[in-house]
Amino acid sequence: MGKFVVTIRKNGEFQFNLKATNGQVILTSEGYTTKTACLAGIESVRKNAAADRFEVLVAKNGKPYFNVKAANGQTVGSSQMYASERTMKQGIASVKANAPESPVVEEI
């Protein structure tokens, strides 16, 4: 099982990473001004990943990546850049598999 890891950025904002069972980061959040807002972002990822709200994009360098979107269209998490569309789809599958039940670990 994966886990959500909550940390504090150098600028004092909270963020989370969803890590797969192997420890690889599969989704990163934006910065939040409060821990409460960050935890709400995690709940949004859980809900919207289950609802299959993924936006597939291609970066300027041609590498695919994805965002998890809330019902209102706001991005609640972004993936890394992937080498291929196939590996990006594996990343989406990993978020779907890990987000619903992963515990939250605070490293702050």
Side-chain angles (χ1 to χ4, degrees):
M1 179 187 304
K3 62 184 175 181
F4 285 97
V5 178
V6 176
T7 58
I8 298 177
R9 294 178 174 179
K10 289 181 181 179
N11 66 0
E13 291 182 331
F14 293 84
Q15 79 168 39
F16 64 83
N17 287 309
L18 175 58
K19 293 187 176 184
T21 305
N22 64 5
Q24 182 177 350
V25 174
I26 52 177
L27 195 72
T28 300
S29 74
E30 64 181 1
Y32 295 93
T33 56
T34 66
K35 185 169 86 169
T36 301
C38 185
L39 296 175
I42 290 170
E43 291 307 312
S44 183
V45 167
R46 287 182 170 147
K47 176 182 174 183
N48 291 296
D52 204 29
R53 290 194 177 106
F54 292 90
E55 174 185 42
V56 174
L57 301 162
V58 177
K60 290 180 183 178
N61 65 4
K63 296 193 180 269
Y65 69 102
F66 63 87
N67 292 326
V68 176
K69 304 288 262 186
N72 66 2
Q74 181 179 357
T75 298
V76 292
S78 299
S79 75
Q80 65 180 359
M81 303 293 167
Y82 288 91
S84 69
E85 186 176 337
R86 181 186 59 79
T87 55
M88 185 220 33
K89 287 180 179 179
Q90 290 172 341
I92 290 172
S94 184
V95 170
K96 287 181 181 181
N98 285 285
E101 302 295 326
S102 291
V104 176
V105 177
E106 295 180 19
E107 295 182 358
I108 50 180

